[in-house]
Coordinates of all heavy atoms in Angstrom, one line a residue:
P288 N 98.3 4.8 -120.7 CA 99.4 5.8 -120.4 C 99.0 7.3 -120.5 O 99.6 8.0 -119.8 CB 100.5 5.4 -121.3 CG 100.2 4.0 -121.7 CD 98.7 3.9 -121.5
R289 N 98.2 7.5 -121.5 CA 97.9 9.0 -121.7 C 96.3 9.1 -121.5 O 95.6 9.1 -122.4 CB 98.2 9.4 -123.1 CG 99.8 9.4 -123.3 CD 100.1 10.2 -124.5 NE 101.5 10.2 -124.6 CZ 102.3 11.2 -124.3 NH1 101.8 12.3 -123.7 NH2 103.6 11.2 -124.4
S290 N 95.9 9.2 -120.3 CA 94.5 9.3 -119.9 C 94.3 10.5 -119.1 O 95.1 11.0 -118.3 CB 94.0 8.0 -119.1 OG 94.3 6.9 -119.9
I291 N 93.0 11.0 -119.1 CA 92.6 12.1 -118.3 C 91.4 11.5 -117.5 O 90.5 11.2 -118.2 CB 92.3 13.4 -119.1 CG1 93.5 13.9 -119.7 CG2 91.7 14.4 -118.1 CD1 93.3 15.1 -120.7
L292 N 91.5 11.5 -116.2 CA 90.3 11.1 -115.4 C 89.9 12.1 -114.4 O 90.6 12.9 -114.0 CB 90.9 9.8 -114.6 CG 91.5 8.7 -115.4 CD1 92.1 7.6 -114.5 CD2 90.4 8.1 -116.3
Q293 N 88.6 12.0 -114.1 CA 88.0 12.9 -113.1 C 88.5 12.5 -111.7 O 88.3 11.4 -111.4 CB 86.5 13.0 -113.2 CG 85.8 13.8 -112.2 CD 86.0 15.3 -112.5 OE1 86.2 15.7 -113.5 NE2 86.0 16.0 -111.4
W294 N 89.0 13.5 -111.0 CA 89.4 13.2 -109.6 C 88.6 14.0 -108.7 O 88.7 15.3 -108.7 CB 91.0 13.6 -109.5 CG 91.6 13.2 -108.2 CD1 91.4 12.1 -107.5 CD2 92.6 13.9 -107.5 NE1 92.2 12.1 -106.4 CE2 92.9 13.2 -106.4 CE3 93.2 15.2 -107.8 CZ2 93.9 13.7 -105.5 CZ3 94.2 15.5 -106.9 CH2 94.6 14.8 -105.8
N295 N 87.7 13.4 -108.0 CA 86.7 14.2 -107.2 C 87.4 14.7 -105.9 O 87.0 14.3 -104.8 CB 85.5 13.3 -106.8 CG 84.4 14.0 -106.3 OD1 84.3 15.1 -106.5 ND2 83.5 13.3 -105.7
V296 N 88.2 15.7 -106.0 CA 88.9 16.4 -104.9 C 88.7 17.9 -105.2 O 89.2 18.4 -106.2 CB 90.4 16.0 -104.9 CG1 91.1 16.9 -103.9 CG2 90.5 14.5 -104.5
G297 N 88.3 18.7 -104.2 CA 88.1 20.1 -104.3 C 89.2 20.9 -103.8 O 89.4 22.0 -104.2
S298 N 89.8 20.4 -102.7 CA 90.9 21.1 -102.1 C 91.9 20.1 -101.4 O 91.6 18.9 -101.3 CB 90.4 22.1 -100.9 OG 90.2 21.3 -99.8
H299 N 93.0 20.6 -100.9 CA 94.0 19.6 -100.3 C 93.4 18.9 -99.2 O 93.9 17.8 -98.8 CB 95.3 20.5 -100.0 CG 95.2 21.3 -98.8 ND1 94.5 22.5 -98.9 CD2 95.4 21.1 -97.5 CE1 94.5 23.1 -97.6 NE2 95.1 22.3 -96.8
R300 N 92.4 19.5 -98.5 CA 91.8 18.8 -97.3 C 91.1 17.5 -97.8 O 90.7 16.7 -96.9 CB 90.8 19.7 -96.7 CG 91.5 20.9 -95.9 CD 90.5 21.8 -95.3 NE 91.1 23.1 -95.1 CZ 91.1 24.1 -96.0 NH1 90.5 24.0 -97.2 NH2 91.7 25.3 -95.7
D301 N 90.7 17.4 -99.0 CA 90.0 16.2 -99.5 C 91.0 15.1 -99.9 O 90.5 13.9 -100.2 CB 89.1 16.6 -100.8 CG 88.1 17.6 -100.4 OD1 87.6 17.6 -99.3 OD2 87.8 18.4 -101.4
I302 N 92.2 15.4 -99.9 CA 93.2 14.3 -100.3 C 93.4 13.3 -99.2 O 93.8 13.8 -98.1 CB 94.6 15.0 -100.7 CG1 94.3 15.8 -101.9 CG2 95.5 13.8 -101.0 CD1 95.6 16.6 -102.3
S303 N 93.1 12.1 -99.4 CA 93.2 11.0 -98.3 C 93.6 9.7 -99.0 O 93.7 9.6 -100.2 CB 91.7 10.9 -97.7 OG 90.8 10.4 -98.6
H304 N 93.7 8.7 -98.1 CA 94.0 7.4 -98.7 C 92.9 6.9 -99.6 O 93.3 6.4 -100.7 CB 94.1 6.4 -97.5 CG 94.6 5.0 -97.9 ND1 95.8 4.8 -98.4 CD2 93.9 3.9 -97.9 CE1 95.9 3.5 -98.7 NE2 94.7 2.9 -98.4
E305 N 91.8 7.2 -99.3 CA 90.6 6.9 -100.2 C 90.6 7.7 -101.5 O 90.5 7.1 -102.6 CB 89.2 7.1 -99.5 CG 89.0 6.1 -98.4 CD 89.8 6.5 -97.1 OE1 90.1 7.7 -96.9 OE2 90.1 5.7 -96.3
S306 N 90.8 8.9 -101.5 CA 90.8 9.7 -102.8 C 92.0 9.4 -103.6 O 92.0 9.6 -104.8 CB 90.8 11.2 -102.4 OG 92.0 11.7 -101.9
L307 N 93.1 8.9 -103.0 CA 94.3 8.5 -103.8 C 94.2 7.1 -104.3 O 95.0 6.6 -105.1 CB 95.6 8.6 -102.9 CG 95.9 10.1 -102.6 CD1 97.1 10.1 -101.6 CD2 96.2 11.0 -103.8
S308 N 93.1 6.3 -104.1 CA 93.0 5.0 -104.5 C 92.9 4.9 -106.0 O 93.4 3.9 -106.6 CB 91.7 4.3 -103.9 OG 90.5 5.0 -104.4
L309 N 92.5 5.9 -106.6 CA 92.5 5.9 -108.2 C 93.9 5.7 -108.6 O 94.1 4.9 -109.6 CB 91.9 7.3 -108.6 CG 92.1 7.7 -110.1 CD1 91.3 6.8 -111.0 CD2 91.8 9.1 -110.3
F310 N 94.9 6.4 -108.1 CA 96.2 6.3 -108.6 C 96.9 4.9 -108.3 O 97.8 4.4 -109.0 CB 97.0 7.4 -108.0 CG 96.5 8.8 -108.4 CD1 95.8 9.5 -107.5 CD2 96.7 9.2 -109.6 CE1 95.3 10.7 -107.8 CE2 96.1 10.5 -110.0 CZ 95.4 11.2 -109.0
R311 N 96.4 4.2 -107.3 CA 96.9 2.9 -107.0 C 96.3 1.8 -108.0 O 96.9 0.7 -108.0 CB 96.6 2.5 -105.5 CG 97.3 3.3 -104.5 CD 97.2 2.8 -103.1 NE 95.7 2.7 -102.7 CZ 95.1 3.7 -102.1 NH1 95.6 5.0 -101.9 NH2 93.9 3.5 -101.6
L312 N 95.2 2.2 -108.6 CA 94.6 1.2 -109.6 C 95.0 1.3 -111.0 O 94.7 0.5 -111.8 CB 93.0 1.4 -109.5 CG 92.3 1.2 -108.2 CD1 90.9 1.6 -108.2 CD2 92.4 -0.3 -107.7
L313 N 95.7 2.4 -111.3 CA 96.1 2.6 -112.7 C 97.1 1.6 -113.2 O 97.9 1.0 -112.5 CB 96.8 4.0 -112.9 CG 95.9 5.2 -112.6 CD1 96.7 6.5 -112.7 CD2 94.7 5.2 -113.6
E314 N 97.0 1.2 -114.4 CA 97.9 0.2 -115.2 C 98.3 0.9 -116.4 O 97.4 1.5 -117.1 CB 97.2 -1.0 -115.4 CG 96.9 -1.9 -114.3 CD 98.2 -2.5 -113.7 OE1 99.2 -2.7 -114.3 OE2 98.2 -2.8 -112.4
P315 N 99.5 0.9 -116.8 CA 100.6 0.4 -116.0 C 100.8 1.1 -114.7 O 100.4 2.3 -114.5 CB 101.9 0.5 -116.9 CG 101.5 1.6 -117.9 CD 100.0 1.6 -118.0
R316 N 101.5 0.5 -113.8 CA 101.6 1.0 -112.4 C 102.4 2.3 -112.3 O 103.4 2.4 -113.0 CB 102.3 -0.1 -111.6 CG 102.3 0.2 -110.1 CD 102.4 -1.1 -109.4 NE 102.4 -0.9 -107.9 CZ 101.4 -0.7 -107.2 NH1 100.2 -0.6 -107.7 NH2 101.5 -0.5 -105.9
V317 N 101.9 3.2 -111.6 CA 102.5 4.5 -111.4 C 103.6 4.4 -110.4 O 103.5 3.7 -109.4 CB 101.4 5.5 -110.8 CG1 102.0 6.8 -110.5 CG2 100.3 5.7 -111.9
E318 N 104.8 5.0 -110.8 CA 105.9 5.0 -109.8 C 106.0 6.3 -109.0 O 106.5 6.4 -107.9 CB 107.2 4.7 -110.5 CG 107.6 5.7 -111.4 CD 108.9 5.3 -112.1 OE1 108.9 4.3 -113.0 OE2 110.0 6.0 -111.9
I319 N 105.5 7.4 -109.6 CA 105.5 8.7 -109.0 C 104.2 9.4 -109.2 O 103.7 9.4 -110.3 CB 106.7 9.6 -109.6 CG1 108.0 9.0 -109.5 CG2 106.7 11.0 -109.0 CD1 109.1 9.6 -110.3
L320 N 103.7 10.0 -108.2 CA 102.5 10.7 -108.2 C 102.9 12.2 -107.9 O 103.4 12.5 -106.7 CB 101.4 10.2 -107.2 CG 100.2 11.1 -107.0 CD1 99.4 11.2 -108.3 CD2 99.3 10.4 -106.0
V321 N 102.6 13.1 -108.8 CA 102.8 14.5 -108.5 C 101.4 15.1 -108.2 O 100.5 15.1 -108.9 CB 103.4 15.2 -109.8 CG1 103.7 16.7 -109.5 CG2 104.7 14.5 -110.2
L322 N 101.4 15.7 -107.0 CA 100.2 16.4 -106.5 C 100.3 17.9 -106.6 O 101.2 18.4 -106.0 CB 99.8 15.9 -105.1 CG 99.4 14.5 -104.9 CD1 99.1 14.1 -103.5 CD2 98.2 14.2 -105.8
G323 N 99.4 18.5 -107.3 CA 99.4 20.0 -107.2 C 98.2 20.4 -106.3 O 97.1 20.2 -106.6
T324 N 98.6 21.3 -105.2 CA 97.6 21.6 -104.3 C 97.1 23.0 -104.3 O 96.7 23.6 -103.4 CB 98.2 21.4 -102.8 OG1 99.4 22.1 -102.8 CG2 98.5 19.9 -102.6
G325 N 97.1 23.6 -105.6 CA 96.5 24.9 -105.8 C 97.6 26.0 -105.9 O 98.6 25.7 -106.5
D326 N 97.3 27.1 -105.3 CA 98.2 28.3 -105.4 C 99.5 28.1 -104.6 O 100.5 28.7 -104.8 CB 97.6 29.5 -104.8 CG 96.5 30.1 -105.8 OD1 96.7 29.9 -107.1 OD2 95.5 30.6 -105.3
R327 N 99.4 27.3 -103.5 CA 100.6 27.1 -102.8 C 100.7 25.6 -102.3 O 99.8 24.9 -102.4 CB 100.6 28.0 -101.6 CG 99.4 27.7 -100.6 CD 99.4 28.7 -99.5 NE 98.7 28.1 -98.4 CZ 98.2 28.7 -97.4 NH1 98.2 30.0 -97.4 NH2 97.5 28.1 -96.5
V328 N 101.9 25.2 -101.8 CA 102.1 23.9 -101.4 C 101.5 23.7 -100.1 O 101.6 24.5 -99.1 CB 103.7 23.6 -101.2 CG1 103.9 22.3 -100.7 CG2 104.4 23.8 -102.5
E329 N 100.6 22.7 -100.0 CA 99.9 22.4 -98.7 C 100.4 21.1 -98.2 O 100.8 20.1 -98.9 CB 98.4 22.2 -98.9 CG 97.7 23.5 -99.5 CD 97.6 24.6 -98.5 OE1 97.9 24.4 -97.3 OE2 97.3 25.7 -99.0
R330 N 100.5 21.0 -96.8 CA 100.9 19.8 -96.2 C 99.8 18.7 -96.2 O 98.7 19.1 -95.9 CB 101.4 20.1 -94.8 CG 102.6 21.0 -94.8 CD 103.1 21.2 -93.4 NE 103.8 19.9 -93.2 CZ 104.4 19.5 -92.0 NH1 104.6 20.4 -91.2 NH2 104.9 18.3 -91.9
L331 N 100.2 17.6 -96.5 CA 99.3 16.4 -96.5 C 99.5 15.5 -95.2 O 100.7 15.6 -94.6 CB 99.4 15.4 -97.7 CG 99.2 16.1 -99.1 CD1 99.2 15.1 -100.2 CD2 97.9 16.9 -99.1
H332 N 98.5 14.8 -94.8 CA 98.8 14.0 -93.6 C 99.8 13.0 -93.8 O 99.8 12.3 -94.9 CB 97.4 13.3 -93.3 CG 97.3 12.7 -91.9 ND1 98.0 11.7 -91.5 CD2 96.8 13.2 -90.8 CE1 97.8 11.4 -90.2 NE2 97.1 12.3 -89.8
P333 N 100.8 12.9 -92.9 CA 101.9 12.0 -93.0 C 101.5 10.6 -93.2 O 102.1 9.8 -94.0 CB 102.7 12.2 -91.8 CG 102.3 13.5 -91.3 CD 101.0 13.8 -91.7
A334 N 100.4 10.1 -92.6 CA 100.0 8.7 -92.8 C 99.5 8.4 -94.2 O 99.8 7.3 -94.7 CB 98.9 8.5 -91.8
T335 N 98.9 9.5 -94.9 CA 98.6 9.3 -96.2 C 99.7 9.1 -97.2 O 99.7 8.2 -98.0 CB 97.7 10.5 -96.7 OG1 96.6 10.6 -95.9 CG2 97.2 10.4 -98.1
L336 N 100.7 9.9 -96.9 CA 102.0 9.8 -97.7 C 102.7 8.4 -97.5 O 103.1 7.8 -98.4 CB 102.9 10.9 -97.5 CG 102.4 12.3 -97.8 CD1 103.3 13.4 -97.3 CD2 102.1 12.4 -99.3
K337 N 102.7 8.0 -96.3 CA 103.3 6.8 -95.8 C 102.5 5.6 -96.6 O 103.2 4.7 -97.1 CB 103.3 6.6 -94.4 CG 103.9 5.3 -93.9 CD 103.9 5.1 -92.4 CE 104.5 3.8 -92.0 NZ 104.0 3.3 -90.8
Q338 N 101.3 5.7 -96.6 CA 100.5 4.6 -97.2 C 100.8 4.5 -98.7 O 100.9 3.4 -99.3 CB 98.9 4.8 -97.0 CG 98.5 4.6 -95.6 CD 97.2 5.1 -95.3 OE1 96.7 6.1 -96.0 NE2 96.5 4.5 -94.3
M339 N 101.0 5.6 -99.4 CA 101.3 5.6 -100.7 C 102.7 4.9 -100.9 O 102.9 4.2 -101.9 CB 101.2 7.0 -101.4 CG 99.8 7.5 -101.4 SD 98.7 6.5 -102.4 CE 99.2 7.1 -104.1
R340 N 103.7 5.4 -100.1 CA 105.0 4.8 -100.2 C 104.9 3.3 -100.1 O 105.6 2.6 -100.7 CB 105.9 5.4 -99.2 CG 106.5 6.7 -99.6 CD 107.7 7.2 -98.6 NE 107.3 7.1 -97.2 CZ 106.7 8.1 -96.5 NH1 106.4 9.2 -97.1 NH2 106.5 7.9 -95.2
E341 N 104.1 2.8 -99.1 CA 104.0 1.4 -98.9 C 103.5 0.6 -100.0 O 103.6 -0.5 -100.2 CB 103.1 1.1 -97.7 CG 103.9 1.5 -96.4 CD 103.0 1.5 -95.2 OE1 101.7 1.3 -95.3 OE2 103.6 1.6 -94.0
C342 N 102.7 1.4 -100.9 CA 102.1 0.8 -102.2 C 103.2 0.9 -103.3 O 102.8 0.5 -104.4 CB 100.8 1.5 -102.5 SG 99.5 1.2 -101.4
G343 N 104.3 1.5 -103.0 CA 105.3 1.6 -104.1 C 105.2 2.8 -105.0 O 105.8 2.9 -106.0
I344 N 104.5 3.8 -104.5 CA 104.3 5.1 -105.2 C 104.9 6.3 -104.4 O 104.5 6.6 -103.3 CB 102.8 5.4 -105.5 CG1 102.1 4.2 -106.3 CG2 102.6 6.7 -106.2 CD1 100.7 4.3 -106.5
A345 N 105.9 6.9 -105.0 CA 106.4 8.1 -104.4 C 105.5 9.2 -104.7 O 104.9 9.3 -105.8 CB 107.8 8.4 -105.0
V346 N 105.4 10.2 -103.7 CA 104.4 11.3 -103.9 C 105.3 12.6 -103.8 O 106.1 12.8 -102.8 CB 103.2 11.3 -102.8 CG1 102.4 12.5 -103.0 CG2 102.5 9.9 -102.9
E347 N 105.1 13.5 -104.7 CA 105.7 14.8 -104.8 C 104.6 15.8 -104.6 O 103.7 15.8 -105.5 CB 106.5 15.0 -106.0 CG 107.2 16.3 -106.2 CD 108.3 16.5 -105.2 OE1 109.0 15.4 -104.9 OE2 108.6 17.6 -104.7
V348 N 104.6 16.6 -103.6 CA 103.5 17.6 -103.4 C 104.1 19.0 -103.7 O 105.1 19.4 -103.1 CB 103.0 17.6 -101.9 CG1 101.9 18.6 -101.8 CG2 102.5 16.2 -101.6
Q349 N 103.4 19.7 -104.6 CA 103.9 21.1 -105.1 C 102.7 21.9 -105.3 O 101.6 21.5 -105.3 CB 104.7 21.0 -106.3 CG 106.0 20.1 -106.2 CD 106.6 20.0 -107.6 OE1 106.1 20.2 -108.6 NE2 107.9 19.6 -107.6
D350 N 102.9 23.2 -105.5 CA 101.8 24.1 -105.9 C 101.6 23.7 -107.4 O 102.3 23.0 -108.1 CB 102.2 25.6 -105.9 CG 103.4 25.9 -106.7 OD1 103.2 26.1 -107.9 OD2 104.5 25.9 -106.3
T351 N 100.3 23.9 -107.9 CA 99.9 23.3 -109.1 C 100.7 23.7 -110.4 O 101.1 22.9 -111.2 CB 98.4 23.6 -109.4 OG1 97.7 22.9 -108.3 CG2 97.9 23.0 -110.7
P352 N 101.1 25.0 -110.4 CA 101.9 25.4 -111.6 C 103.3 24.5 -111.6 O 103.7 24.1 -112.7 CB 102.2 26.9 -111.5 CG 101.0 27.4 -110.7 CD 100.7 26.2 -109.7
N353 N 103.9 24.4 -110.5 CA 105.2 23.6 -110.5 C 104.8 22.1 -110.6 O 105.7 21.4 -111.2 CB 105.9 23.9 -109.2 CG 106.6 25.3 -109.2 OD1 107.3 25.6 -110.2 ND2 106.5 26.0 -108.2
A354 N 103.8 21.7 -110.2 CA 103.4 20.3 -110.4 C 103.3 20.0 -111.9 O 103.6 18.9 -112.3 CB 102.1 19.9 -109.5
C355 N 102.7 20.9 -112.5 CA 102.5 20.7 -114.0 C 103.8 20.5 -114.7 O 104.1 19.6 -115.6 CB 101.6 21.8 -114.6 SG 100.0 21.8 -114.2
A356 N 104.8 21.4 -114.3 CA 106.1 21.4 -114.9 C 106.9 20.1 -114.5 O 107.5 19.5 -115.3 CB 106.9 22.6 -114.5
T357 N 106.7 19.7 -113.3 CA 107.4 18.5 -112.9 C 106.9 17.3 -113.6 O 107.5 16.3 -114.0 CB 107.2 18.3 -111.3 OG1 107.9 19.4 -110.6 CG2 107.8 17.0 -110.9
F358 N 105.5 17.2 -113.7 CA 104.8 16.1 -114.5 C 105.3 16.1 -115.9 O 105.7 15.0 -116.4 CB 103.3 16.3 -114.5 CG 102.6 15.3 -115.3 CD1 102.4 14.1 -114.9 CD2 102.1 15.7 -116.6 CE1 101.6 13.2 -115.6 CE2 101.5 14.8 -117.3 CZ 101.3 13.5 -116.9
N359 N 105.4 17.2 -116.6 CA 105.8 17.2 -118.0 C 107.4 16.8 -118.1 O 107.7 16.1 -119.0 CB 105.7 18.6 -118.5 CG 104.3 19.0 -118.9 OD1 103.4 18.1 -119.0 ND2 103.9 20.2 -118.8
F360 N 108.2 17.2 -117.1 CA 109.6 16.8 -117.1 C 109.7 15.3 -117.0 O 110.4 14.7 -117.7 CB 110.3 17.6 -116.1 CG 111.7 17.1 -115.9 CD1 112.7 17.6 -116.9 CD2 112.2 16.2 -114.9 CE1 114.0 17.1 -116.8 CE2 113.5 15.8 -114.8 CZ 114.4 16.3 -115.7
L361 N 109.0 14.7 -116.0 CA 109.0 13.3 -115.8 C 108.5 12.5 -116.9 O 109.0 11.4 -117.3 CB 108.3 13.0 -114.4 CG 109.0 13.5 -113.2 CD1 108.0 13.3 -112.0 CD2 110.3 12.8 -112.9
M362 N 107.4 13.0 -117.5 CA 106.9 12.3 -118.7 C 107.9 12.4 -119.8 O 108.1 11.4 -120.6 CB 105.6 13.1 -119.3 CG 104.4 12.8 -118.4 SD 103.8 11.0 -118.6 CE 103.3 11.0 -120.3
S363 N 108.7 13.5 -120.1 CA 109.7 13.6 -121.1 C 110.8 12.6 -120.8 O 111.4 12.1 -121.8 CB 110.3 15.0 -121.2 OG 111.1 15.3 -120.1
E364 N 111.0 12.2 -119.6 CA 112.1 11.1 -119.3 C 111.4 9.7 -119.3 O 112.1 8.8 -119.0 CB 112.6 11.4 -117.8 CG 113.3 12.6 -117.7 CD 114.0 12.7 -116.3 OE1 113.5 12.2 -115.3 OE2 115.2 13.2 -116.3
K365 N 110.2 9.6 -119.8 CA 109.5 8.3 -120.0 C 109.3 7.6 -118.6 O 109.3 6.4 -118.6 CB 110.3 7.4 -120.9 CG 110.6 8.1 -122.2 CD 109.5 7.9 -123.1 CE 109.9 8.3 -124.5 NZ 109.3 9.5 -125.0
R366 N 109.1 8.4 -117.5 CA 108.8 7.8 -116.3 C 107.3 7.5 -116.1 O 106.5 8.0 -116.8 CB 109.2 8.8 -115.1 CG 110.7 9.3 -115.2 CD 111.6 8.2 -114.7 NE 111.4 7.8 -113.4 CZ 112.0 8.4 -112.3 NH1 112.8 9.4 -112.4 NH2 111.8 7.8 -111.1
M367 N 107.0 6.5 -115.2 CA 105.6 6.1 -115.1 C 105.1 7.1 -114.0 O 105.2 6.9 -112.8 CB 105.5 4.7 -114.6 CG 105.9 3.7 -115.7 SD 105.2 3.9 -117.3 CE 103.5 3.7 -116.9
V368 N 104.5 8.2 -114.5 CA 104.0 9.3 -113.6 C 102.6 9.6 -113.8 O 102.1 9.4 -114.9 CB 104.9 10.5 -113.9 CG1 104.8 11.1 -115.2 CG2 104.6 11.6 -112.8
A369 N 101.9 10.0 -112.7 CA 100.5 10.5 -112.8 C 100.6 11.8 -112.0 O 101.4 12.1 -111.2 CB 99.5 9.5 -112.1
A370 N 99.5 12.7 -112.3 CA 99.3 13.9 -111.7 C 97.9 14.1 -111.2 O 97.0 13.7 -111.8 CB 99.7 15.1 -112.6
G371 N 97.8 14.5 -109.9 CA 96.5 14.9 -109.3 C 96.6 16.4 -109.1 O 97.4 16.9 -108.3
L372 N 95.8 17.1 -109.9 CA 95.9 18.7 -109.9 C 94.7 19.4 -109.4 O 93.6 19.1 -109.9 CB 96.3 19.1 -111.3 CG 97.5 18.4 -111.9 CD1 97.7 18.8 -113.4 CD2 98.7 18.8 -111.2
I373 N 94.9 20.3 -108.4 CA 93.8 21.1 -108.0 C 94.0 22.4 -108.6 O 95.2 23.0 -108.5 CB 93.7 21.1 -106.4 CG1 93.6 19.8 -105.8 CG2 92.7 22.2 -106.0 CD1 93.8 19.7 -104.4
P374 N 93.0 23.0 -109.3 CA 93.3 24.3 -110.0 C 93.7 25.4 -109.0 O 93.2 25.5 -107.8 CB 91.9 24.6 -110.6 CG 91.3 23.3 -110.7 CD 91.7 22.5 -109.6
P375 N 94.7 26.3 -109.4 CA 95.0 27.4 -108.5 C 93.9 28.4 -108.3 O 92.9 28.4 -109.0 CB 96.2 28.1 -109.1 CG 96.5 27.3 -110.4 CD 95.4 26.3 -110.5

């Protein structure tokens, strides 16, 4: 539940079904994935988001500072949440 893993993503352009596979493998199962895309919110490919929903994982895309705040809030509510963060 409290792990830090290396996510090999340099920018929002690297976020794909394959790069998100890490979050589909986590146990206990993640229900919400918060993605921080750097200084600003970047759009991800709709098919990538759809594939995550089909796996039962909701994805919230935000700029990284807000993604950190959202992650902390969801953790305080004891939600099964993970964060993929790209530094601003």
Side-chain angles (χ1 to χ4, degrees):
R289 295 193 176 264
S290 301
I291 297 174
L292 304 170
Q293 177 70 32
W294 188 37
N295 194 20
V296 171
S298 80
H299 72 280
R300 291 178 202 86
D301 299 327
I302 299 174
S303 65
H304 184 68
E305 292 77 27
S306 69
L307 294 175
S308 65
L309 167 69
F310 301 102
R311 293 190 301 274
L312 298 173
L313 294 175
E314 288 292 333
R316 190 151 177 81
V317 172
E318 65 181 70
I319 303 170
L320 172 60
V321 181
L322 293 177
T324 56
D326 287 326
R327 61 183 206 200
V328 179
E329 300 288 353
R330 297 191 69 178
L331 301 184
H332 196 282
T335 301
L336 299 174
K337 181 181 179 207
Q338 290 167 332
M339 292 301 284
R340 281 193 308 273
E341 289 171 352
C342 293
I344 300 173
V346 179
E347 180 69 33
V348 181
Q349 301 178 340
D350 61 86
T351 298
N353 283 314
C355 291
T357 299
F358 173 81
N359 288 333
F360 176 77
L361 292 170
M362 284 293 292
S363 74
E364 290 189 329
K365 309 277 191 244
R366 304 289 298 271
M367 295 309 298
V368 62
L372 304 170
I373 298 170

